[in-house]
Amino acid sequence: MTDTTHTPGADGGDALVTAFNAVGADYIFCSSGSEWAPVWESLARRHRDGLPCPQYLDLTHETVAVGMATGYGLLERRPQGVLLHAAPGLLQGSMAVHGALLAGVPMVVSSSESTTYGDGPGQDPGGQWYRNLSIVGGPHQIAQPFTKWSNEAASVHTLPTMVARAAELAWRAPAGPAYLNVPLEILLEEWDGREAKPIVKPGSTHSSPEEVDPVAQLIREAKNPVVVTETAGREAGGFEALVAFAEAWDIPVVEPDSAVCGNFPRTHPLHAGSDIGPWMDEADLILLVNCRAPFYPPSRRPSKATIVVIDEVPQRPHVVYQVLFADTYLEGNVANTLRQLTKRAKDLDTAAVAVRRTAQEERHAAEQAAIAGAEAKARQAEGIDPVLVAATLRQLLEGKDGIVVDETITHSRVVKRHVQTADPDSYFYVQGGLGQGIAVALGVKLAAQERPVVLTIGDGAFAYNPVIQSYDASKAYELPLLIVVFNNRVYKSMNLNHRRFYPEGAAADTGEWLGTDLHRLPRLAAFAEPFGMHTETVDAPDALAPALERALKAVAEGTTAVVDVLVTR
């Protein structure tokens, strides 16, 4: 720490704000709680006096606060600040914090408690802590299972460096949220002005030539290699490095259904679809690039392939059960490792490369023909097929540098296959439980305000979202989205499981499918009307493209547009 001149009246609120400055946070995403008055006072003072501070976003739901920090972090890849209210606020936001952990997004999440319950000196924290808000063991124990690191700031004098430590831990691989409990008494305590040193970007670890050279030789000798990746595109430069690697070695790339971001252009001739199945018996070398769970069930082992895992942290600490069947690990920075391997793409067996290139060209042509066939069939169908929605979005987004955030379940394969994103940071799938999609999309828009952002979402997932609070954030902070609801009026995934587990059960006999019917929901687009947003409900194929065009125009003009599409399945 560096001693600084003491500021009269400075307290723990100032200490926390200066700490977020040192962390380099652009934003503090706050779902308000009464304990944050010292932070608000510090921000007001800094605004009045022209002093630097992160931009403060006043949000009305914990999922919105954490989800927006997640969406912003997906693109910016740097820790931001999140303030929640006490243990109940942390519990309310816990699903979204867990989603940030799964998505690998760094952030520092804080909430508060009282440690004196009114029996200590100084200002009265309020009786609500004694009667209602406190929790045995403190909120940092609640946060431990779904964060990278969880602790309590026990002194105002160590608070800035505790925040810095939380941010540094959050930023390092595997990136994810860190939690800090900051008691209200610490926020109100006089602070001596000692600040944390600004943190810097983490250094990168690199696989050595002695580790990379044998893997390059394995690739050189392989007749039928394949890359399987879930999150290569999440790393800075990972998307571009994977394209260069695949092209240099002429290796197909599979993005399985578990892929959660865009990793490789879906229009590229080397993109080999989303099914690893055909490779399980054919591949002699499988390169798992940032692929945490490649095989399902986990015991489903490839019959003859050597398996190379390329991942900075291949054994994910937050994954309960993980099976990779690795023969070799390259554990340095993924983009750097791919670049090293690309440089070694020499002395290739041209005959073997020609054979696999021809085979991949045939696979790619067959897939493109299948996509075109499915879209032609959808255009001729009665009602609006989900394929038609995804294909129409692809056509309307062409050349617009759009970003798709997806929170569909039964339609997620359709969205990936037919929207066909082809650029870095152009596709993200919402991680963890349903109900975060609008907030994540808002955070993505906050980080990419010049790009159109489209949220594709099912009607069931839409109903889980804090819709009103999300629309409030969209309007208050001028973050227009296009929200496209794939509305089949049913929790389809739940219904499919019931039918799968009990194909001849009582429900099949009587038609009583519980837990799935959503016909009783009102018009979903209508919730946006009080906010002056553009709304449409579409139930005819001919009306779909014009409705989406009008919606995109409204978004370009600065307002969120919600298009509720009544799909046939």
Side-chain angles (χ1 to χ4, degrees):
M1 290 189 296
T2 303
D3 287 331
T4 61
T5 303
H6 175 63
T7 302
D11 58 18
D14 296 289
L16 191 59
V17 172
T18 62
F20 281 126
N21 266 339
V23 166
D26 302 316
Y27 291 94
I28 295 175
F29 300 85
C30 181
S31 177
S32 300
S34 55
E35 68 268 39
W36 299 121
V39 170
W40 299 332
E41 180 63 20
S42 175
L43 290 168
R45 186 184 306 120
R46 288 166 181 273
H47 294 158
R48 180 196 67 191
D49 299 340
L51 299 175
C53 58
Q55 186 171 339
Y56 175 85
L57 299 185
D58 216 346
L59 305 165
T60 54
H61 196 282
E62 290 83 358
T63 297
V64 178
V66 181
M68 285 185 65
T70 298
Y72 188 82
L74 285 170
L75 271 72
E76 295 297 332
R77 300 177 172 89
R78 293 180 289 105
Q80 305 300 313
V82 178
L83 304 183
L84 306 178
H85 175 44
L90 176 62
L91 289 168
Q92 181 73 44
S94 60
M95 180 187 68
V97 178
H98 180 245
L101 180 70
L102 296 178
V105 173
M107 63 180 68
V108 178
V109 180
S110 289
S111 68
S112 190
E113 63 177 345
S114 174
T115 54
T116 65
Y117 309 106
D119 278 341
Q123 299 192 58
D124 180 10
Q128 71 272 20
W129 301 97
Y130 180 52
R131 302 185 187 102
N132 189 41
L133 293 178
S134 295
I135 194 160
V136 174
H140 46 290
Q141 291 203 14
I142 296 174
Q144 192 170 15
F146 51 83
T147 57
K148 280 189 66 181
W149 177 86
S150 179
N151 214 325
E152 177 185 2
S155 166
V156 70
H157 307 299
T158 59
L159 175 57
T161 45
M162 286 289 277
V163 173
R165 171 165 168 73
E168 289 179 328
L169 286 165
W171 207 353
R172 276 156 179 78
Y179 173 79
L180 191 62
N181 170 22
V182 186
L184 177 55
E185 287 81 356
I186 299 299
L187 291 169
L188 291 168
E189 189 175 342
E190 185 176 332
W191 174 50
D192 61 12
R194 287 180 293 174
E195 299 180 5
K197 181 182 182 296
I199 68 171
V200 296
K201 184 179 180 179
S204 61
T205 59
H206 292 177
S207 297
S208 69
E210 291 77 15
E211 294 169 309
V212 174
D213 284 340
V215 172
Q217 187 60 30
L218 285 174
I219 302 172
R220 196 172 289 114
E221 294 170 355
K223 302 297 183 185
N224 197 18
V226 65
V227 170
V228 184
T229 182
E230 292 175 338
T231 61
R234 188 170 64 191
E235 314 299 329
F239 187 102
E240 298 88 342
L242 182 56
V243 172
F245 167 82
E247 290 177 344
W249 290 94
D250 249 310
I251 299 179
V253 176
V254 173
E255 287 185 288
D257 290 332
S258 53
V260 298
C261 63
N263 304 290
F264 197 82
R266 288 194 163 258
T267 54
H268 197 289
L270 287 172
H271 195 286
S274 59
D275 185 8
I276 193 176
W279 303 91
M280 296 298 285
D281 294 324
E282 297 175 8
D284 55 358
L285 177 66
I286 297 177
L287 300 156
L288 301 179
V289 180
N290 264 28
C291 198
R292 62 185 175 177
F295 313 117
Y296 190 82
S299 59
R300 186 190 182 202
R301 184 170 190 158
S303 61
K304 61 183 179 182
T306 298
I307 298 175
V308 176
V309 174
I310 301 174
D311 196 321
E312 192 164 5
V313 187
Q315 297 297 336
R316 297 286 200 276
H318 59 268
V319 176
V320 175
Y321 183 61
Q322 186 182 20
V323 181
L324 298 175
F325 296 121
D327 295 296
T328 300
Y329 287 106
L330 289 179
E331 297 190 33
N333 174 271
V334 168
N336 180 273
T337 300
L338 292 172
R339 293 186 196 108
Q340 288 194 58
L341 288 168
T342 299
K343 293 177 183 177
R344 289 163 170 77
K346 302 172 183 176
D347 304 322
L348 307 186
D349 183 336
T350 54
V353 169
V355 169
R356 69 173 178 254
R357 182 188 299 125
T358 299
Q360 174 55 25
E361 287 172 353
E362 292 174 355
R363 274 190 297 267
H364 183 73
E367 172 66 2
Q368 293 304 305
I371 289 172
E375 293 178 4
K377 182 179 178 181
R379 285 191 291 271
Q380 300 300 318
E382 293 270 344
I384 303 176
D385 190 283
V387 168
L388 182 63
V389 184
T392 304
L393 279 173
R394 182 189 71 240
Q395 293 158 5
L396 294 177
L397 289 173
E398 188 173 356
K400 290 184 169 63
D401 194 25
I403 303 173
V404 175
V405 178
D406 187 26
E407 197 180 28
T408 62
I409 298 294
T410 55
H411 299 122
S412 61
R413 294 180 183 178
V414 169
V415 170
K416 288 179 185 177
R417 192 182 191 209
H418 293 277
V419 174
Q420 291 195 308
T421 53
D423 299 308
D425 291 338
S426 60
Y427 170 83
F428 299 102
Y429 189 78
V430 177
Q431 291 289 275
L434 295 174
Q436 309 169 61
I438 306 177
V440 172
L442 288 170
V444 168
K445 182 66 177 180
L446 185 65
Q449 298 191 31
E450 301 306 313
R451 300 174 66 182
V453 176
V454 179
L455 172 68
T456 52
I457 186 169
D459 51 325
F462 183 90
Y464 285 137
N465 273 259
V467 174
I468 301 303
Q469 298 92 331
S470 299
Y471 288 166
D472 172 65
S474 172
K475 192 171 183 68
Y477 297 107
E478 298 180 348
L479 300 171
L481 305 174
L482 170 56
I483 300 173
V484 181
V485 184
F486 285 66
N487 189 346
N488 57 10
R489 283 81 73 202
V490 66
Y491 282 124
K492 192 71 173 181
S493 61
M494 303 177 194
N495 185 254
L496 289 173
N497 263 5
H498 193 160
R499 293 173 183 272
R500 181 163 62 94
F501 296 148
Y502 301 97
E504 298 178 0
D509 184 46
T510 64
E512 185 183 9
W513 301 105
L514 300 175
T516 64
D517 185 20
L518 294 177
H519 281 86
R520 65 179 181 270
L521 291 180
R523 264 194 325 123
L524 299 184
F527 292 98
E529 290 173 0
F531 293 89
M533 295 172 174
H534 181 94
T535 65
E536 305 222 16
T537 299
V538 186
D539 61 2
D542 292 345
L544 177 63
L548 291 174
E549 285 185 85
R550 289 190 295 270
L552 276 171
K553 183 175 183 292
V555 171
E557 292 171 352
T559 185
T560 284
V562 184
V563 182
D564 185 15
V565 185
L566 306 184
V567 294
T568 55
R569 59 187 175 94

